[in-house]
Amino acid sequence: MIDPAGLQAGHFVSRLDRPWLSTPFALQGVMLEEQHQIDWMRQHCEWVLVDLLRSRNREVPGYHRIEREPPPQDKADFFGDLADESSSLNLLRRAELDEETVSASIEMHQLLTEQVDDLIERMGRSGRIEPERAREQVAGMADSLERNIAAMIWLTRIKNADRYTAQHCVNVAILAMGLARALDWEREQIECAGLAGLLHDLGKTRLDLAILNKPGRLTTEEYAHVKQHSKFGFEMLRHDSSVHPTVAQAVLEHHERPDGRGYPLGRTRDALMPLGVLVGVVDACDAITTRRPYSAPRSHHRALGILWKGRDRQFDRTMVEALIQFLGWITPGTVVRLSTGQFAIVLRASNQYRLWPLVRLIERRDGSLQVADKLDLAEYNRGRHGDLIRVVEVLPDNTLDLALDEVLRNEVNQPLVGRSPA
């Protein structure tokens, strides 16, 4: 470790004394090009690590070294020690994709999406939410959540603009259940998290569609109208005996904020239920990564950065940190660009090396993109000092013209190849 005062242009900084999400730099590691980058590190960091093998400037930093042992390389994710593979927060990193879990997850995802479509249609006819069948489907998901989590998280990466409401509700349900399980909530609480996620936005069916789908900035009056959706959803659920009262309360509170500037009640963090706080965080995470009439989609990595920077104000700090620990920088189904310039789909993140996941390479053949070999970046890079292959960019969902559900369906039948990509 060195004092940042010794940094020079051309040094490659590989580690800092703080999470990368709390910095203005993308991903892990930065080549110092501009003086403002050096100034930022001198102002904010007590120590940094410089990788001379990756630096253009191979001069050993002239300022004094700091003689103390840094934390083990990549043994921790953003916050806390994740080296314990048995930790609930490592649930997703332990998960495997196999034929049984993939098939079951795709079927559950389709059924749940159909249930939301049915709920919306029934509401259009009767003006009432009838969630009994959806609740049964969520209960089935809770029973198999740990076994199927990798495939279920993969399916949240699939975005279809024509079915935004249904897919968003299903995605929030999956993420809410996964986060509740990572927090070691009880079985009934996990089921409530899934149902609250599934129902959280159904109050929007009572809004003016012209306002809801408006591509430009909303007027004050239009925004006030949109903010009614959480109250509408609560009113639909509060007297339904098949829905736990905490689910209705979470639907009401999912747009409240720790600083009291949320809606519809303006409550502060101390007055909010944990379930509403959880649904609010995962709702924002999925919405940020999805194309909406007024907003382009951002990458999963960018979404986590937005949540991190909004903690204690817009989002609850504890819940944000838990979600980031649970999902990590990259999740199954995420499309990334490698340092070789190739695109790849992440199959499984490494618990030890977060930017060296197991990936499926993507190649262009006959004018179209097709999946190619698997490559375990951690295995390939282990023991190498140069020519390492790493993730350099996390791309927004649907960046590439690939049917991710078909890629997932075919994944378990593909061979593992450990060679260097062409």
Side-chain angles (χ1 to χ4, degrees):
M1 295 188 294
I2 69 162
D3 189 309
L7 291 174
Q8 302 174 21
H11 280 155
F12 187 93
V13 177
S14 60
R15 299 190 67 194
L16 304 175
D17 62 354
R18 65 199 56 245
W20 285 93
L21 272 181
S22 64
T23 78
F25 308 110
L27 289 180
Q28 183 179 2
V30 59
M31 182 72 73
L32 297 180
E33 307 279 5
E34 306 289 343
Q35 185 61 42
H36 70 84
Q37 296 172 313
I38 298 173
D39 291 342
W40 189 95
M41 292 187 179
R42 289 175 176 171
Q43 180 180 354
H44 294 89
C45 300
E46 293 185 6
W47 59 262
V48 300
L49 289 184
V50 173
D51 186 341
L52 291 178
L53 290 175
R54 297 166 66 186
S55 297
R56 287 200 304 273
N57 179 355
R58 300 297 178 88
E59 181 179 344
V60 177
Y63 211 76
H64 68 276
R65 294 172 59 84
I66 299 174
E67 299 297 340
R68 69 172 179 264
E69 188 69 19
Q73 176 69 30
D74 281 27
K75 288 290 186 181
D77 212 333
F78 306 123
F79 319 98
D81 185 3
L82 298 185
D84 180 7
E85 293 187 3
S86 65
S87 167
S88 296
L89 288 170
N90 267 328
L91 172 67
L92 188 55
R93 293 169 181 80
R94 294 195 303 268
E96 300 281 350
L97 294 171
D98 58 44
E99 188 172 0
E100 181 180 353
T101 61
V102 167
S103 177
S105 297
I106 290 176
E107 181 179 358
M108 283 191 293
H109 190 270
Q110 290 175 338
L111 288 173
L112 203 57
T113 304
E114 290 170 3
Q115 290 299 324
V116 176
D117 285 336
D118 184 59
L119 283 171
I120 293 172
E121 183 182 351
R122 288 173 179 267
M123 284 186 59
R125 293 199 308 263
S126 66
R128 295 178 55 248
I129 293 180
E130 300 175 13
E132 291 84 355
R133 291 173 61 194
R135 183 175 57 80
E136 293 172 2
Q137 192 65 36
V138 167
M141 282 179 55
D143 290 334
S144 60
L145 180 65
E146 186 157 357
R147 185 172 65 253
N148 298 335
I149 190 65
M152 296 303 295
I153 293 295
W154 179 305
L155 291 169
T156 67
R157 308 256 63 94
I158 299 171
K159 313 291 187 182
N160 186 335
D162 295 332
R163 303 187 71 184
Y164 170 74
T165 299
Q167 284 194 338
H168 174 61
C169 289
V170 171
N171 290 348
V172 173
I174 293 170
L175 293 170
M177 294 176 77
L179 180 54
R181 174 64 184 84
L183 291 168
D184 287 325
W185 285 14
E186 298 294 333
R187 169 63 172 71
E188 183 182 19
Q189 294 174 304
I190 295 172
E191 185 176 331
C192 284
L195 191 59
L198 199 69
L199 301 176
H200 78 286
D201 261 357
L202 288 187
K204 288 183 176 179
T205 59
R206 292 180 55 180
L207 299 181
D208 185 330
L209 288 180
I211 296 176
L212 191 62
N213 297 324
K214 181 179 177 180
R217 187 179 182 86
L218 298 180
T219 65
T220 301
E221 293 75 16
E222 290 169 338
Y223 185 47
H225 175 69
V226 170
K227 289 195 294 185
Q228 294 297 309
H229 77 274
S230 53
K231 187 178 295 185
F232 290 158
F234 172 72
E235 293 296 336
M236 295 174 188
L237 293 171
R238 63 184 302 189
H239 299 302
D240 192 319
S241 60
S242 69
V243 176
H244 196 285
T246 60
V247 172
Q249 193 69 23
V251 170
L252 178 68
E253 294 181 351
H254 74 277
H255 279 296
E256 299 288 353
R257 296 172 43 147
D259 62 6
R261 299 177 63 185
Y263 63 84
L265 303 174
R267 291 174 175 168
T268 59
R269 174 64 183 90
D270 292 341
L272 299 175
M273 294 176 49
L275 182 55
V277 171
L278 182 148
V279 172
V281 169
V282 298
D283 169 41
C285 185
D286 185 70
I288 292 167
T289 61
T290 304
R291 182 176 298 280
R292 292 170 288 173
Y294 51 87
S295 176
R298 269 73 65 86
S299 70
H300 167 73
H301 163 248
R302 177 63 178 144
L304 296 185
I306 292 171
L307 294 176
W308 168 252
K309 291 176 182 177
R311 68 199 187 286
D312 289 333
R313 292 179 290 105
Q314 188 172 358
F315 307 109
D316 178 76
R317 171 184 289 269
T318 301
M319 207 63 74
V320 167
E321 293 181 2
L323 179 66
I324 293 174
Q325 286 183 327
F326 168 57
L327 292 178
W329 281 103
I330 42 186
T331 71
T334 304
V335 178
V336 298
R337 184 170 59 85
L338 304 178
S339 54
T340 60
Q342 289 177 289
F343 296 116
I345 298 175
V346 173
L347 306 181
R348 186 180 68 248
S350 168
N351 186 46
Q352 186 176 5
Y353 304 102
R354 62 176 179 253
L355 294 185
W356 295 354
L358 174 66
V359 301
R360 173 72 67 182
L361 300 175
I362 300 171
E363 296 179 354
R364 186 170 294 279
R365 301 173 186 164
D366 301 324
S368 64
L369 293 174
Q370 299 180 29
V371 294
D373 296 332
K374 282 183 181 178
L375 183 66
D376 188 331
L377 298 183
E379 185 65 29
Y380 177 83
N381 290 330
R382 189 170 289 116
R384 292 175 181 262
H385 298 291
D387 299 324
L388 302 182
I389 301 175
R390 59 177 52 81
V391 173
V392 296
E393 184 181 9
V394 179
L395 302 174
D397 299 327
N398 288 2
T399 296
L400 303 181
D401 186 19
L402 285 171
L404 288 178
D405 52 344
E406 290 302 315
V407 174
L408 175 60
R409 194 185 301 274
N410 295 329
E411 178 52 41
V412 294
N413 300 316
Q414 299 286 347
L416 173 62
V417 178
R419 66 173 176 82
S420 172

